[in-house]
Structure formats: structure tokens, C-alpha cells
Amino acid sequence: MPITESDDLSPTLALAFELLRRPSVTPDDEGCQALLIERLERLGFHVEQLPFGDVKNFWAVRGHHGPVLAFAGHTDVVPSGPHTNWEFPPFTPCIDDQGMLCGRGAADMKGSLAAMVTAVERFLSDYPDHDGRIAFLITSDEEGPAVDGTRAVVEHLRERHERLDYCIVGEPSSTDVLGDVIKNGRRGSLGGILHLKGVQGHVAYPHLARNPIHQALPALDALVNEHWDEGNDFFPATSFQVSNIRAGTGATNVIPGEVEVVFNFRFSTEVTHLQLRERTQAILDGFGLEYHIDWTLNGEPFLTAEGALVEASLAGVEEVLGRRPQLSTSGGTSDGRFIATLGAQVVELGPLNATIHKVNERVLASDLDELSQVYEAVLRHLFVSPAGSRS
């Protein structure tokens, strides 16, 4: 029978249950942050709540000197869709007969939040006078527009010259088994909406019209086949993808007067977003088009190629799980793109990503206990000297 109560569970799983019960669909928090804040304040953290717009955020710090390690994450989740499509209700967490913790947010990323908090609790119990400072940067706007969440908090911290040396983002980074992949960077994301003008007319009289769809096709083919860069040792080559094309009046006998093309670049550190914009416009100008583009820079690429955090993260996984992770920059964007602008070393280290955003989201329950141990090991590698002893 599935386990639906948290009474006999480990501290990490019990906290995960409490978080998963709250239907915190973006940007709603539904009390998740209050639960985390209560736990952190008991540990001596100074907590600063930073709401922006409809989004709840907080920044919590413990300690007064030395480098700062922040655990970053989000309490919001994507919508579940119809509950009838789920094997178990999405906001009634349970552990099924296969040992899987089921519920919306189990992998992305309430499980990681629970693992972070319990890791810090154990670490502070053993090393109350550790070197450095520990922080939490938590938002309820990662799955949404990502404007009033981590981005806004980072700007707030930047304005007051807050120090941030290391950051572990708890996004689900693992692919096949826990800890097989650590994300040490992400590609940049540049979006655009191309508005291409034509002349509307009757399909029977094309000489009296100018079909913008026909004009768009060779230009888009040129953009798709453009060689933007070679990539490098950490990033694949930059890619251009069309995600939507909209045109037409709804009638089958009308040549449309405008076509709208939605596209996105995922780009490496070999090219800047300004260079991509300039090259795109040069290609379009070569076709003599009447157009304009609405650009949106979703995030710059970032990379933590080496340093104390990467070394501590690799060592922590190897110590707890007995495997050496692969460093990767694959996948979409994360809030790490904002945090990296503070000059921090950033990695993403979390559970398996196989079911994120899907119906029947789930993660192996035992993985969360092991993930908590990994986070604790990273803290030791960063903040406890080899000669240190348990207090």
C-alpha cells in the first residue's frame, strides 16, 4: 500500500511531504516559504522576506564572516492538469509500492528544498562554528515569467553589494541515476518575434498582393542553415529554432498581409546576444524584407568551469554515492543565469529529471535522503578544514 503519512519518514521525506501538500502553482507559494523560514530561523538564520509584485521571495543568511554558499531554489510548480490523469492526486504526496515519492514538485524541486534544509540542519549540529556563511535564496517565480523572483532578488543584492561566492541550485540535474550529472553552466537564451509585412490580397490575383509567407521561407531557411559558431569544450554550437509561425485571416482565399515568426537562439559563450541580433538582421536585410523584430534576452550563458564549488560538488557526490559525475551545460535555462551575474560560482545538483513537468511526476524517495547527504558533504568540503573536528 502507498505511504501517505509522514509520521515514520526520514526528516527529509517528512519535510518533502509537507511541501508537496501545498498546491503552489506559479506564482502562488501557499505557505511553503513560511514552512522553510520557520525551520531556518530555528537554526539562527537571519531571514529577509523580499516580495516583488505577486511573487514571494526570501534571502536567509547564517554567519558573519568568510565566503558565502547559497542554496537556491523555488517553491512554485507548474500546473498539474486534470487530476484524473494522475495515478495519485498531484497534491496528496505518497510513496508508492516501488519506493517512488509521487506528487507535483517531487523532482522539480520541492524534494531538493527538503534535502537542502535537512543537510544544513545536520551540518550545523555537527559544526556550529564552521567557517564561512550559509544562505538560502528562495523564490515562487521560477516556473513563471521569472521577472519578480530570483532576477529581482539578485538585483536587490547587487545594489547593496551583497557577497555571494558559491551557489548550489537544486534543479533536477541527474539523468539516469542520482548524481550522474552536475550542471556547471547553461547556454544563453535569446528570443525573437519577427513581424514580416506583405500586401494582403485575393489568392486569385497574386500579382496584386505580396505574400509574406513566401518571402519568409527563403529567409528562414538561411537562418536555419547559418553556421553561428563552433561551440567549445563546454558548450555545443549555437542553435536557431523556429517555434511558431502565425499568419492568415482565417479565410482560405486571402493572401495574408503579415506573418509572425517566433524563434529562439540557444547560444554558447563563443558569441554574444548583440552579435546574434546583428547577424540575424543582416541576413534578413539581404532578402529585401519589410520587417521588425521584438527581441527578448532570457539569459546570458554562464559557466563554472573549475573552482572550489565544482571540486567540492564532485567530491561530495563521489563520497556519498561512489560515482564521479559528468559536468554538463545541456538543457534549458535556470535561475542560475541570474545568480551567476553576481560573480558566484554556480552549479545545479539535484534529483532525476525524467518526470519533471509531466503527469505522475515522481522521484525515488531514497534519492532525496542521499541528495541531502551529498549537500551536507559539499558543505563539509567547503567549510570544514581537513584538521577540523566534530563539535
Side-chain angles (χ1 to χ4, degrees):
M1 292 289 293
I3 298 171
T4 57
E5 298 296 329
S6 58
D7 296 343
D8 297 324
L9 298 176
S10 70
T12 298
L13 291 173
L15 179 54
F17 262 57
E18 290 303 309
L19 293 169
L20 290 169
R21 288 193 180 103
R22 292 162 165 78
S24 54
V25 177
T26 303
D28 296 330
D29 172 70
E30 295 294 330
C32 291
Q33 291 185 23
L35 179 62
L36 298 175
I37 288 170
E38 180 184 2
R39 299 279 284 255
L40 295 175
E41 287 181 335
R42 289 204 300 263
L43 297 172
F45 278 81
H46 171 71
V47 179
E48 184 179 4
Q49 298 188 54
L50 297 169
F52 295 101
D54 295 328
V55 177
K56 289 188 175 182
N57 311 286
F58 75 81
W59 169 251
V61 183
R62 185 186 188 279
H64 302 286
H65 59 84
V68 180
L69 166 67
F71 288 100
H74 59 92
T75 54
D76 59 316
V77 298
V78 296
S80 63
H83 291 198
T84 52
N85 292 341
W86 288 65
E87 182 180 359
F88 304 105
F91 298 108
T92 304
C94 70
I95 298 176
D96 69 12
D97 295 339
Q98 284 73 49
M100 305 295 290
L101 173 64
C102 307
R104 174 59 85 219
D108 188 13
M109 59 163 285
K110 292 180 177 181
S112 295
L113 293 177
M116 291 171 174
V117 170
T118 57
V120 170
E121 287 173 339
R122 293 191 308 274
F123 177 77
L124 292 179
S125 176
D126 289 342
Y127 304 101
D129 300 319
H130 62 88
D131 296 332
R133 290 176 286 167
I134 304 173
F136 281 79
L137 196 170
I138 306 299
T139 182
S140 66
D141 182 39
E142 197 275 344
E143 301 290 7
V147 171
D148 291 326
T150 299
R151 183 200 295 261
V153 175
V154 164
E155 291 309 311
H156 178 77
L157 297 177
R158 192 194 317 278
E159 288 172 3
R160 66 186 196 193
H161 307 290
E162 191 84 29
R163 177 175 178 173
L164 183 53
D165 300 277
Y166 314 120
C167 182
I168 297 176
V169 184
E171 290 291 349
S173 62
S174 303
T175 301
D176 297 314
V177 292
L178 178 66
D180 60 351
V181 174
I182 291 175
K183 300 291 178 67
N184 65 322
R186 293 281 191 162
R187 291 174 294 174
S189 175
L190 175 65
I193 302 176
L194 167 65
H195 303 270
L196 178 58
K197 286 285 188 180
V199 176
Q200 184 173 316
H202 196 292
V203 295
Y205 302 94
H207 59 289
L208 300 178
R210 188 173 78 245
N211 193 321
I213 299 176
H214 294 180
Q215 288 188 301
L217 293 178
L220 293 177
D221 183 66
L223 290 168
V224 168
N225 288 292
E226 176 71 5
H227 185 76
W228 302 98
D229 61 38
E230 296 284 352
N232 54 39
D233 290 342
F234 296 98
F235 291 95
T238 294
S239 69
F240 170 89
Q241 292 293 319
V242 174
S243 58
N244 205 344
I245 298 178
R246 293 189 286 264
T249 64
T252 60
N253 60 352
V254 177
I255 294 170
E258 182 176 354
V259 62
E260 182 181 277
V261 181
V262 183
F263 63 88
N264 180 266
F265 285 99
R266 292 302 164 102
F267 62 102
S268 75
T269 49
E270 295 296 305
V271 65
T272 70
H273 71 94
L274 292 176
Q275 290 171 330
L276 291 174
R277 290 175 60 159
E278 291 170 358
R279 289 172 62 184
T280 298
Q281 288 163 193
I283 289 171
L284 294 174
D285 289 343
F287 287 88
L289 304 176
E290 183 183 353
Y291 73 94
H292 75 273
I293 301 175
D294 297 323
W295 294 99
T296 302
L297 177 62
N298 301 304
E300 296 275 15
F302 71 91
L303 178 67
T304 304
E306 56 187 14
L309 181 59
V310 167
E311 293 172 6
S313 300
L314 292 171
V317 171
E318 199 162 20
E319 175 186 319
V320 175
L321 302 175
R323 60 180 63 98
R324 188 75 171 176
Q326 172 190 353
L327 297 176
S328 171
T329 62
S330 64
T333 59
S334 79
D335 278 356
R337 68 192 189 274
F338 306 127
I339 298 165
T341 65
L342 292 174
Q345 299 176 32
V346 180
V347 300
E348 298 173 29
L349 174 54
L352 268 67
N353 54 30
T355 64
I356 60 173
H357 293 206
K358 293 184 177 181
V359 171
N360 296 323
E361 181 179 348
R362 59 191 60 204
V363 65
L364 193 63
S366 60
D367 276 0
L368 295 187
D369 286 320
E370 291 186 329
L371 180 62
S372 182
Q373 295 173 40
V374 169
Y375 290 151
E376 183 184 8
V378 175
L379 283 165
R380 286 197 305 272
H381 283 280
L382 284 174
F383 289 153
V384 178
S385 64
S389 60
R390 300 169 82 90
S391 300

